[in-house]
Amino acid sequence: MVYTVSSSEKLRKSAADSETKALLYLMNFHENNDDIHYFVVDFFNDLTGMDRMADRLWDIQSKGAKNNSPKALGRELVTLYKNFVSYFEFDSYILFVGGVSSTVRIDSTKNIFKIDNIQVNAREKLKEGLVEEAQSKNYFNSSDISDERIEEF
């Protein structure tokens, strides 16, 4: 089993704030927070939660942008998608952002939501952004960027 670390980022204050908020979300507000006992910071992603036996992993990517369009959200999903196609199995993939545009959610009163609360046309733009970003990276095989794999994700 191989996991290749092929990029890193230099931390900015806004990124540090966003990662701290993501950590607090995972610790206190995620639906499985009682199962999460350990936190791995900045290895697989911004943050990974782990259960006591390391059998379950929760992958979270934090971004500070406040008004993400559907396509921008898709681009932000690329690191989560990289982990999805890796040999590791994650219980869930979480994108933690500062906000989304009004064209994203079906029910705009929900601040915590899953794919089922994203408008159909926004899903298509999200997928488009993910595909474009994945194709621009050198760490994906072409077979990783298929409609079937992306739908599974």
Side-chain angles (χ1 to χ4, degrees), residues 24-42:
L24 293 172
Y25 164 77
L26 204 54
M27 291 172 78
N28 297 298
F29 299 107
H30 188 271
E31 62 193 354
N32 299 119
N33 69 328
D34 289 338
D35 298 334
I36 302 170
H37 292 272
Y38 305 106
F39 300 92
V40 181
V41 178
D42 275 332

Side-chain angles (χ1 to χ4, degrees), residues 31-103:
E31 62 193 354
N32 299 119
N33 69 328
D34 289 338
D35 298 334
I36 302 170
H37 292 272
Y38 305 106
F39 300 92
V40 181
V41 178
D42 275 332
F43 184 74
F44 295 116
N45 208 339
D46 282 345
L47 181 66
T48 302
M50 187 182 308
D51 73 346
R52 188 177 305 278
M53 300 303 292
D55 292 327
R56 294 173 68 197
L57 301 171
W58 291 264
D59 194 15
I60 190 164
Q61 174 71 36
S62 62
K63 298 292 180 183
K66 303 248 186 271
N67 196 23
N68 286 292
S69 70
K71 193 169 184 178
L73 287 172
R75 287 188 189 106
E76 302 295 10
L77 286 170
V78 76
T79 307
L80 292 171
Y81 188 68
K82 176 187 179 193
N83 291 341
F84 173 76
V85 300
S86 77
Y87 294 103
F88 291 95
E89 281 190 39
F90 291 88
D91 200 67
S92 59
Y93 302 89
I94 305 159
L95 182 60
F96 187 91
V97 296
V100 296
S101 73
S102 61
T103 61

Side-chain angles (χ1 to χ4, degrees), residues 77 81 84-85 93 115-116 120 122-128 130-131 143-153:
L77 286 170
Y81 188 68
F84 173 76
V85 300
Y93 302 89
I115 193 77
D116 61 349
V120 174
R123 286 185 203 184
E124 289 305 313
K125 287 292 187 184
L126 191 140
K127 181 178 173 183
E128 186 180 315
L130 174 58
V131 168
S143 62
D144 291 334
I145 311 170
S146 67
D147 287 338
E148 296 79 29
R149 288 301 303 238
I150 291 172
E151 287 300 317
E152 187 183 345
F153 174 64

Side-chain angles (χ1 to χ4, degrees), residues 6-24:
S6 57
S7 62
S8 73
E9 61 186 39
K10 193 172 189 176
L11 197 61
R12 299 175 315 279
K13 181 179 178 347
S14 62
D17 290 348
S18 182
E19 287 185 18
T20 301
K21 290 175 184 177
L23 172 63
L24 293 172

